[in-house]
Amino acid sequence: YHVPLSWCAEAPSDEMWRRGSLEDLFKVIHEGTLGCDLRFRVRRDGFIWFDCNKWDPGTHTVIPGHRGIPGRKVPQEIIEAEKLAEQRAHSRAMLLNAYQLCLNSAHAFVKSRSTSLGSPVQSTYLVHLTDFSNPISLLYASSNEPYCIYVNNAVNSVAKRVRTAASARRLIEHEVVTYSFDLLGQIMKCKYESALKITEMLYWAHHRYSENAFSDSLILSWAVCEKLLNHLWSDFLRTKKSIVDGSERMNKDRIKKLEGRDFTASTISEILELVGIIDIKMFSGIDNARRKRNAWLHSLDAIGDSDASNALLTTTELFKVVTGVALRPSISRTMPGTGGVPRHLYVFKDEC
């Protein structure tokens, strides 16, 4: 559910409010299928949902029934099933956070506007539907979670025709919504298998930056940088495979050595720049992020706004080099002293 509240494609007219039709207010304005048969739908009131049943990382999990008996261990198959269910729940949350970065980028690409990131989604906050085709009946993992309270009140305010609920919402144009799913689709079908997870890590790096947690943001950015550099390095080594005088030029032992601890991120980035895989500007950004990260690990000194934002820019460009997907998330933050969490996320008055 989009936070802050937004209308998608078209805000309801006064006539729609007078007619009192939930079908108009909750109309599906965009739908489709991504790779791995991952279906999605977008509702006019900002409700966006995915059907993960055919997406293996986030599909449902059957946990065998078990009656606990004091003194007896829980069967291993139940323990494994519960772990798998938790992993899949986290994968669904990862998908939603990655999509939020795509939506944020779509605003920049399509409308040249900078917007704040949506609130983070965690597995305990997920809203479950009883029926993918009819998203009216909502189930919550915990009705006491602030996010679930927020969504429930948002839905009720629209259903009860509280007009202020409409005036407080911004509009996300249909072309922005469409482009956001185009970006997510590119990431889902990317040959780089960690692309979706890396996108979510980028989301968290930008989110922590928006909360003025510059050290956290830079550490996350560097983690992404290092992962992407290692991928480029492995690809580069494999391009050098050949047969010389009847022997393999790059055998397993040599590759293992070149991918070992002796070849640090610093050394790898130097070589990648020299062979032209990354340019000198990107190399400088990577080097600066690495040095700031190392200095922080030794001293825990505060990292500044500019260093954190430069690391975000460099990481996003490196992501494009690896995946071919261009993202342009907003680099914006809450001004010091303003809090950053809307009061109405936790407190609701009767008229809200």
Side-chain angles (χ1 to χ4, degrees), residues 242-260:
S242 61
I243 302 296
V244 179
D245 295 331
S247 301
E248 289 187 14
R249 180 188 182 192
M250 299 293 289
N251 56 43
K252 291 182 179 179
D253 289 339
R254 189 176 184 189
I255 290 178
K256 183 178 180 180
K257 176 185 176 182
L258 291 170
E259 290 181 338

Side-chain angles (χ1 to χ4, degrees), residues 98 133 196 218 254 301 319:
S133 62
L196 186 65
L218 188 137
R254 189 176 184 189
D301 287 342
F319 179 81

Side-chain angles (χ1 to χ4, degrees), residues 44-238:
R44 185 201 298 275
D45 68 319
F47 192 82
I48 300 171
W49 72 105
F50 294 85
D51 179 4
C52 297
N53 281 320
K54 295 182 180 180
W55 183 51
D56 187 62
T59 189
H60 65 278
T61 305
V62 177
I63 301 176
H66 171 68
R67 179 177 295 177
I69 300 176
R72 290 191 180 182
K73 293 183 178 181
V74 177
Q76 189 63 29
E77 62 175 334
I78 294 178
I79 295 175
E80 294 300 324
E82 289 176 342
K83 288 181 179 179
L84 181 59
E86 291 177 359
Q87 292 171 4
R88 287 172 169 171
H90 284 294
S91 293
R92 293 192 289 272
M94 174 184 70
L95 172 68
L96 296 179
N97 287 326
Y99 171 70
Q100 291 200 83
L101 196 73
C102 294
L103 179 59
N104 188 267
S105 296
H107 280 288
F109 281 120
V110 179
K111 293 295 181 180
S112 299
R113 73 163 68 105
S114 176
T115 61
S116 59
L117 282 171
S119 299
V121 176
Q122 300 188 37
S123 57
T124 54
Y125 294 179
L126 291 180
V127 180
H128 302 279
L129 305 177
T130 56
D131 182 3
F132 177 78
S133 62
N134 184 27
I136 300 299
S137 180
L138 306 178
L139 299 175
Y140 303 103
S142 170
S143 60
N144 295 320
E145 291 287 355
Y147 177 78
C148 296
I149 295 172
Y150 181 74
V151 171
N152 193 42
N153 277 267
V155 172
N156 288 339
S157 67
V158 173
K160 293 176 181 178
R161 302 300 183 279
V162 179
R163 196 67 179 89
T164 54
S167 60
R169 296 185 179 208
R170 66 183 181 187
L171 176 67
I172 303 177
E173 297 84 356
H174 190 273
E175 56 266 38
V176 173
V177 175
T178 301
Y179 195 86
S180 69
F181 281 102
D182 288 344
L183 286 175
L184 184 61
Q186 293 176 47
I187 292 169
M188 296 292 289
K189 65 182 181 182
C190 180
K191 292 181 180 180
Y192 178 45
E193 61 182 16
S194 299
L196 186 65
K197 177 58 181 175
I198 291 296
T199 305
E200 193 214 17
M201 290 177 69
L202 278 170
Y203 166 83
W204 281 106
H206 281 81
H207 174 69
R208 293 303 288 156
Y209 178 90
S210 72
E211 295 183 322
N212 302 305
F214 303 133
S215 298
D216 292 0
S217 176
L218 188 137
I219 297 307
L220 284 165
S221 293
W222 175 249
V224 172
C225 266
E226 195 162 18
K227 179 74 173 175
L228 295 174
L229 284 171
N230 286 334
H231 177 78
L232 288 175
W233 180 239
S234 295
D235 275 359
F236 171 70
L237 294 179
R238 278 152 184 75

Side-chain angles (χ1 to χ4, degrees), residues 28 30 57 63 103 108 137 151 154 176 183 203 209 235 266 275-276 281 290 296 305 313 318 321 325 342:
V28 174
H30 188 64
I63 301 176
L103 179 59
S137 180
V151 171
V176 173
L183 286 175
Y203 166 83
Y209 178 90
D235 275 359
S266 174
V275 298
K281 180 179 178 181
R290 179 187 59 81
W296 180 85
D305 177 358
L313 289 170
L318 187 58
V321 171
V325 182

